Amino acid sequence: MQSKSNWLKLSKAQLALPYGLFLVCFVLAPLIVIIYYAFTNGEGVFTIENLTGFFLSTKTIGTLAYSFGIAIVTTSVCLLLAYPIAYILARGNFKHKSVILMIFIMPMWINFTLRITALKEILTIIEGNLSFHPFLNTVIGMTYDFLPFMILPIYTTLLKLDKNLLEAASDLGADTVQTFMKVTLPLSVPGIISGIFMVFLPSMTNYVVLDMLYNSTYIMGSLIGAYFSAYDWHGGSMISLILLIIILVFTLCTNRYADEDAGSSRGGVISR
Amino acid sequence: MNHTTSAENIIELKNISRTFDDGFRVVEDFNLTVKRGEFVTFLGPSGCGKTTTLRMIAGFDKPTEGELLLNGVDIRDLPPNKRPINTVFQRYALFPHLNVFDNIAFGLKLKKRPKVEIIRKVKRALEMVDLEGFEDRTIGTLSGGQQQRIAIARALVNEPEILLLDEPLGALDLKMRKEMQLELKNMHQRLGITFIYVTHDQEEALTMSDKIVVMSEGKIQQIGTPEDIYNEPKNAFVADFIGESNIFSGIMTGKYKVRFCGAEFDCVDDVEHGTMIDAVVRPEDVIITTPEKGTIQGKVTSVIFKGVHYEITVLSGKNEIVVQSTKKAVTGSDVGILIEPEGIHIMIAEDVVNRIETGVDKNYQLLFLDGALACDLTELFPGASFQSDGLLMDAHGDVIEPETIRILVSIKPDSIEMSDDKEAGLLRGHIINLIYKGDHYSYVVRTDEDEDFIVDDEDLWNMDDYVSLIIPEESFEYAVKK
């Protein structure tokens, strides 16, 4: 027994080695490089000019606000569409539940650019010229792209919800609406948060959707791209770093909220 | 909460049946009347329909047939939230996102009671379950026993007319379970609320209930007080399920006289002479004595120490008798068995048939009468078929191993014929008992293989006659034993 447990202990460390190496090479090292570039100028001298430059430029601040706007609207639309779908799928008594779920997930099987190209054609037919509604088109494109990421975690949480709790609520005098508001909705918060995570952050940075839908405005992702294409490694790194910190703060806030609210019975596809 | 002692019926179930969508009948023709303030227990093995019945009373399930009357009004179509009934769930079903206070206050808040009243009532409910000051605790920090108490408090705070408890103590350890049993019983007496309790634990049912409903396969087997159920079980199922018992098939041989295990015993039940019966004898009612003093004799085959008593198994002829005694016995010793008349409970056997349990050999031939019987196993296992390699495969495509098959062969007593010609039938034996049943005689024939067959015949034969039994093949009925 003793030798077996030793062997297991050893193997755990060994098993973690490949990922550890990966982490150092592709996460830790680039991060250090970004921090280094963000706080230096062209001559390699320490400076905070990049930081002040970001907050003093109306262009960068405007882009940040615009990105937030797109992300908030996209996330809200996704949530409003996904929750009823997930609820019906999880609660409903369908014979071919997995098939119906598949219909919502299937777009993910098709190449991303192909999907957006198809969407572009459809939108062009409807709107005539895409440049008339850049914001709307971007939100439609991103919602189309990210909706499954919102449906899945909510669906999983609702599926795992103990049916006894719903019966208990009904037993204690709650009608269908009250049961939903007081039990189902609060208990699906972890799934909602997971979904928001998977939609909000990508929609702040995924500028491919904008590009393909001829939206000439910038979001955070396109801004970083623009800096790097102009060989301004220092400015681009600083924006990346700021975005990283925003994401970090966002994660910490929602994490605490999810912990307080759902106790130990958390759900969702992301377990942190 | 005022205690009403009137014998008024609070809930009545009339011919209630519940059939699932797949056609499975979980509850069949259930009839029960519960008086106000009674403690009624549904007792039965898992899958007997007791929880489904409880769910129908709570409103989570709807009967397919029958009437469900609460205070004389049919509540079949009333949703659970409109019924003055609260449930304590098997797995507690406490809301994990609410603390103890909000869990208990859930029902009161929905009724929009004033805040002061809610606080007062929650406090009193917590006192009732001995958890004062637990208001702000989260559910995750409570032990199983504490969660159980909160679940009870959450139900009782609404002052229901009926409290339903679905195996509420199942997840607790033995010591905690015993404590909670007493507490629940005290609570019931104090509050005067009607309790309907579901359990598969016979001891729990006997300890707590005013009335026990024993269920099996969706049907009520017996309704009665704990004493009734224990002392006068109505049939072999109840006797077997409630406590340990020896069940012997036998026959009435006179007024207060019964014959089983190859001997005649005195009993206190007056059943008509010649009736086929099952005699139930509780292990604690069997007395071990010296061989010469015993009504029957046997050999001790095992002795197990059980703390309070020894459990002794005695083999007498073909019958195994389980005995509970505070005196130790020696394995292998010869003993005598005495049973007091009060210790023998007579149950009239329903439709007597000869039952033989047997298996099959490697070629799926019945191991009975040397395989002379053609029993088509594909008819006994729905969807099964024989493969080219001779193996039997079930509907799911799994092979049914011949060793795992147990077949019950049933033969009605009146389909067996007796003959003087020793070669006429496949079985031969001596007549060891005969009773006149008005229009025919009922014989017991013990075959050379030591199997007892009950045979109905209009002609008179003599005791100890050696006969052969002619059993037409078409009168055999086969069933698979699970």
Side-chain angles (χ1 to χ4, degrees), chain A residues 162 164-175 178 182-183 186-187 261-265, chain B residues 55 58 60 80-81 85-87 89 91 93-97 103 106-107 110 112 154-155 158:
Chain A
D162 186 359
N164 276 327
L165 295 178
L166 308 180
E167 286 187 348
S170 161
D171 187 73
L172 292 166
D175 59 31
Q178 285 167 325
K182 286 178 183 287
V183 181
L187 286 175
D261 218 73
S264 52
S265 67
Chain B
R55 289 173 59 81
F60 304 133
N81 55 320
I85 298 172
N86 285 115
T87 310
F89 291 85
R91 294 251 150 230
L94 296 173
F95 303 117
H97 60 299
N103 259 285
F106 196 90
L110 285 169
K112 303 253 182 325
R154 184 179 68 174
N158 300 293

Side-chain angles (χ1 to χ4, degrees), chain B residues 85-143:
Chain B
I85 298 172
N86 285 115
T87 310
V88 177
F89 291 85
Q90 194 167 8
R91 294 251 150 230
Y92 322 137
L94 296 173
F95 303 117
H97 60 299
L98 301 176
N99 65 12
V100 168
F101 179 89
D102 288 330
N103 259 285
I104 299 176
F106 196 90
L108 297 172
K109 280 182 178 169
L110 285 169
K111 286 189 198 110
K112 303 253 182 325
R113 290 292 163 80
K115 210 167 177 185
V116 193
E117 187 194 320
I118 294 178
I119 294 171
R120 184 171 51 81
K121 281 192 171 165
V122 170
K123 195 166 183 286
R124 218 177 57 195
L126 278 170
E127 276 165 18
M128 199 158 57
V129 293
D130 273 332
L131 289 175
E132 294 98 330
F134 270 62
E135 280 94 339
D136 296 330
R137 294 276 291 268
T138 55
I139 300 306
T141 62
L142 301 177
S143 70

Side-chain angles (χ1 to χ4, degrees), chain B residues 303-409:
Chain B
V303 179
I304 302 160
F305 181 58
K306 290 259 177 173
V308 187
H309 59 259
Y310 292 95
E311 193 176 285
I312 303 158
T313 311
V314 177
L315 190 69
S316 168
K318 285 192 74 187
N319 294 294
E320 234 178 34
I321 302 154
V322 179
V323 189
Q324 283 174 6
S325 168
T326 46
K327 277 190 229 115
K328 201 178 171 178
V330 182
T331 310
S333 62
D334 290 312
V335 291
I337 296 279
L338 274 177
I339 306 168
E340 295 283 327
E342 291 78 24
I344 299 170
H345 308 289
I346 303 294
M347 302 180 303
I348 295 163
E350 300 137 18
D351 52 350
V352 183
V353 282
N354 295 295
R355 273 206 187 84
I356 302 117
E357 191 188 324
T358 182
V360 294
D361 67 10
K362 281 194 191 105
N363 302 318
Y364 295 96
Q365 292 298 309
L366 224 53
L367 290 169
F368 175 55
L369 298 179
D370 301 327
L373 296 169
C375 168
D376 189 0
L377 288 175
T378 54
E379 274 176 27
L380 297 178
F381 295 95
S385 58
F386 279 107
Q387 302 301 298
S388 52
D389 53 3
L391 287 171
L392 186 65
M393 200 170 268
D394 70 8
H396 306 292
D398 296 323
V399 171
I400 307 169
E401 301 288 342
E403 306 88 71
T404 62
I405 299 175
R406 300 299 294 166
I407 303 285
L408 276 176
V409 185

Side-chain angles (χ1 to χ4, degrees), chain A residues 23-229:
Chain A
L23 211 65
V24 169
C25 293
F26 298 105
V27 179
L28 205 61
L31 200 65
I32 292 167
V33 173
I34 286 176
I35 293 172
Y36 171 78
Y37 271 103
F39 288 102
T40 52
N41 60 16
E43 283 86 47
V45 180
F46 176 80
T47 175
I48 55 162
E49 232 168 67
N50 300 323
L51 185 67
T52 50
F54 179 87
F55 285 104
L56 289 176
S57 156
T58 47
K59 192 194 167 201
T60 47
I61 289 294
T63 308
L64 185 66
Y66 190 75
S67 303
F68 260 108
I70 285 198
I72 288 170
V73 175
T74 304
T75 311
S76 309
V77 172
C78 278
L79 186 59
L80 287 176
L81 288 175
Y83 201 97
I85 294 168
Y87 186 84
I88 293 165
L89 278 175
R91 279 278 157 280
N93 209 355
F94 301 115
K95 257 191 179 156
H96 306 289
K97 206 180 245 184
S98 53
V99 176
I100 299 170
L101 187 67
M102 195 69 81
I103 291 170
F104 290 98
I105 306 302
M106 216 149 58
M108 284 162 75
W109 297 359
I110 300 160
N111 179 277
F112 165 73
T113 20
L114 200 67
R115 256 184 296 155
I116 297 294
T117 311
L119 183 72
K120 188 176 77 185
E121 295 306 319
I122 294 169
L123 287 176
T124 312
I125 293 167
I126 298 168
E127 294 174 12
N129 191 336
L130 285 179
S131 55
F132 291 161
H133 309 284
F135 188 85
L136 179 72
N137 289 342
T138 310
V139 168
I140 291 174
M142 290 205 179
T143 303
Y144 175 49
D145 208 30
F146 299 135
L147 190 62
F149 295 103
M150 187 65 99
I151 296 176
L152 271 180
I154 297 175
Y155 170 74
T156 321
T157 319
L158 287 174
L159 207 61
K160 279 197 287 184
L161 193 73
D162 186 359
K163 308 269 183 304
N164 276 327
L165 295 178
L166 308 180
E167 286 187 348
S170 161
D171 187 73
L172 292 166
D175 59 31
T176 322
V177 177
Q178 285 167 325
T179 303
F180 177 79
M181 294 307 289
K182 286 178 183 287
V183 181
T184 312
L185 190 61
L187 286 175
S188 53
V189 163
I192 295 175
I193 287 176
S194 287
I196 289 175
F197 253 95
M198 299 188 81
V199 174
F200 191 85
L201 302 174
S203 49
M204 266 184 87
T205 52
N206 193 332
Y207 64 93
V208 182
V209 179
L210 270 80
D211 272 2
M212 293 193 65
L213 295 175
Y214 300 128
N215 186 343
S216 51
T217 36
Y218 271 18
I219 57 169
M220 291 302 274
S222 29
L223 197 64
I224 297 167
Y227 271 87
F228 282 172
S229 351

